Amino acid sequence: MLILGIESSCDETAVAVVKDGTTIISNIVLSQVDLHQKYGGVVPEIASRAHLNTVLPILQEALDIAQCDLRDIDAIAVVQGPGLVGSLLIGITVAKSIRLTHSIPMMAVNHLHAHIYASFIDHQEISFPLVALVVSGGHTDLFYMPKHCTYEWLGKTYDDAAGEAFDKVGKILGLGYPAGPEIDRLAKQGNPNAIKFPRPYLEEYGFDFSFSGLKTSAVYYLKKHPLGLEAVNLEDICASFQQAVVDVLVKKTIDAAIQKKVQGIIVSGGVAANSHLRNQMTKAAQKHNLSLWIPSPKLCTDNAAMVAAAGYYQIQAGYPYAGYDMNAVANLAPG
Ligand code: KG4
Ligand code: ZN
């Protein structure tokens, strides 16, 4: 079964062709990061206009690399939300147009579920029940999955997502946008115990997260210790901040796995590309005798192969196809 995946929820325009849910035939991702960099974050109007300009050439490229045309495609999988409504609408309109012109069924996919299904591309041995952490620029969510395409939403962030915290702290440090990869790189030369940033584990949060206090604490630290004026080391700040985020993500995910009595964990989303998170989560999973499945870094960040994978499993699970009345839902619920 060949599935055409389409992703345009934020600042990547992506189209992929995936066979039987797990074999990538083509996977084209065009990042708009250069367009948004000077504003220090994604500008929605610029994002949707850029998707409009690039989506059709990218669709053609994905088909060319897969050496097929639309007549070979069995189903379309497109992200319905969450995301920027103007951006989502570009991908959805392309999907609906293909559905209309080629009579190909269309499956609506939740962007967060797509992140989880990126893991199934790289790890076909995944078994249920499991706990999944989706940790990205817009989301920090924990799910319990008793079986394919069935989600119990265990926790969310009260405020900033983990990736957002990386990006905001990085902006203050002058590291550009998005700052996650740069903090990851600099942290390798820093001391993670140099600065004691807070870990919001508080009992009252349960499996929910809160990263804005950590971000504020980094802001205050930098006000007191301006970079360049004293012996404050940029690498130490990056390493200490990253350690605080990673500690929280690892502890809550392992706690959820223990409480739900699962044997395996999926970690996915852009921040799952973070090398320290990958290392620490691996150690913690080993310690608790849990299997750990993380997609390769390229599949952690936004792409359309993960959308096609999620669409494939939804079809297998008997989800209904979407009609022409399917609309973009900016705050689509994760559950
Ligand atoms: O999943 P994604 O591509 O888009 C959303 O759905 O949000 O995630 C993007 C986020 C950004 O905040 C970026 O800074 C973060 O993922 N990110 C990282 C790394 N690579 C990407 N954060 C920390 N370390 C990384 N290596
Ligand atoms: Zn994403």
Side-chain angles (χ1 to χ4, degrees):
M1 181 178 230
L2 276 190
I3 309 229
L4 182 77
I6 302 175
E7 152 66 39
S8 66
S9 64
C10 190
D11 59 343
E12 269 94 18
T13 320
V15 180
V17 177
V18 174
K19 190 175 166 216
D20 296 336
T22 53
T23 305
I24 296 177
I25 314 291
S26 63
N27 187 20
I28 312 296
V29 181
L30 182 71
S31 169
Q32 303 175 357
V33 70
D34 294 348
L35 299 176
H36 301 289
Q37 199 138 37
K38 66 176 165 195
Y39 304 102
V42 177
V43 182
E45 181 64 20
I46 293 176
S48 41
R49 284 170 190 271
H51 285 304
L52 195 56
N53 289 335
T54 55
V55 71
L56 292 181
I58 285 184
L59 167 65
Q60 192 57 54
E61 193 181 341
L63 293 170
D64 289 348
I65 289 176
Q67 296 185 317
C68 67
D69 65 35
L70 288 173
R71 284 168 299 191
D72 302 313
I73 298 294
D74 296 299
I76 311 157
V78 62
V79 170
Q80 180 179 22
L84 303 169
V85 75
S87 294
L88 289 162
L89 279 171
I90 308 297
I92 291 172
T93 306
V94 170
K96 284 184 183 173
S97 308
I98 299 171
R99 189 195 154 184
L100 181 67
T101 53
H102 290 73
S103 302
I104 302 172
M106 173 179 74
M107 184 54 80
V109 170
N110 184 309
H111 181 82
L112 301 180
H113 301 170
H115 272 304
I116 292 173
Y117 273 90
S119 311
F120 286 82
I121 298 173
D122 284 333
H123 302 282
Q124 276 135 56
E125 74 281 11
I126 294 176
S127 60
F128 294 93
L130 56 83
V131 158
L133 171 72
V134 180
V135 66
S136 72
H139 297 271
T140 309
D141 294 278
L142 266 171
F143 298 93
Y144 167 68
M145 290 180 74
K147 57 180 181 170
H148 270 300
C149 306
T150 306
Y151 307 89
E152 184 190 327
W153 193 18
L154 300 176
K156 59 176 188 312
T157 176
Y158 276 112
D159 37 58
D160 293 345
E164 197 177 351
F166 268 98
D167 294 339
K168 285 179 176 169
V169 168
K171 189 173 177 182
I172 302 159
L173 294 171
L175 300 178
Y177 174 85
E182 192 57 9
I183 291 182
D184 189 353
R185 194 182 67 77
L186 291 165
K188 290 194 171 85
Q189 274 93 51
N191 172 7
N193 302 314
I195 306 148
K196 200 82 199 126
F197 287 126
R199 270 77 168 156
Y201 292 138
L202 307 175
E203 264 314 300
E204 71 231 42
Y205 285 118
F207 292 131
D208 289 331
F209 299 88
S210 167
F211 290 106
S212 73
L214 172 57
K215 177 197 67 195
T216 310
S217 159
V219 172
Y220 280 129
Y221 182 86
L222 281 161
K223 271 197 180 149
K224 270 198 194 157
H225 310 270
L227 282 172
L229 290 188
E230 47 183 293
V232 176
N233 178 313
L234 178 63
E235 286 81 0
D236 283 351
I237 299 174
C238 289
S240 301
F241 164 75
Q242 178 178 269
Q243 185 66 54
V245 176
V246 166
D247 279 352
V248 174
L249 294 175
V250 170
K251 178 168 167 42
K252 297 233 172 190
T253 307
I254 298 288
D255 283 356
I258 292 168
Q259 194 190 97
K260 299 305 281 186
K261 299 188 172 60
V262 300
Q263 252 119 54
I265 296 170
I266 286 176
V267 179
S268 60
V271 180
N274 182 271
S275 56
H276 195 55
L277 175 62
R278 296 171 83 94
N279 290 338
Q280 297 296 105
M281 198 67 90
T282 303
K283 282 187 190 150
Q286 273 164 2
K287 189 173 160 206
H288 292 88
N289 216 4
L290 293 160
S291 300
L292 174 65
W293 304 291
I294 312 182
S296 54
K298 201 173 160 232
L299 289 179
C300 286
T301 46
D302 287 349
N303 65 85
M306 67 185 194
V307 181
Y312 172 83
Y313 284 99
Q314 286 181 201
I315 293 167
Q316 301 305 311
Y319 272 41
Y321 285 109
Y324 291 118
D325 57 348
M326 190 264 276
N327 209 346
V329 182
N331 58 352
L332 188 63

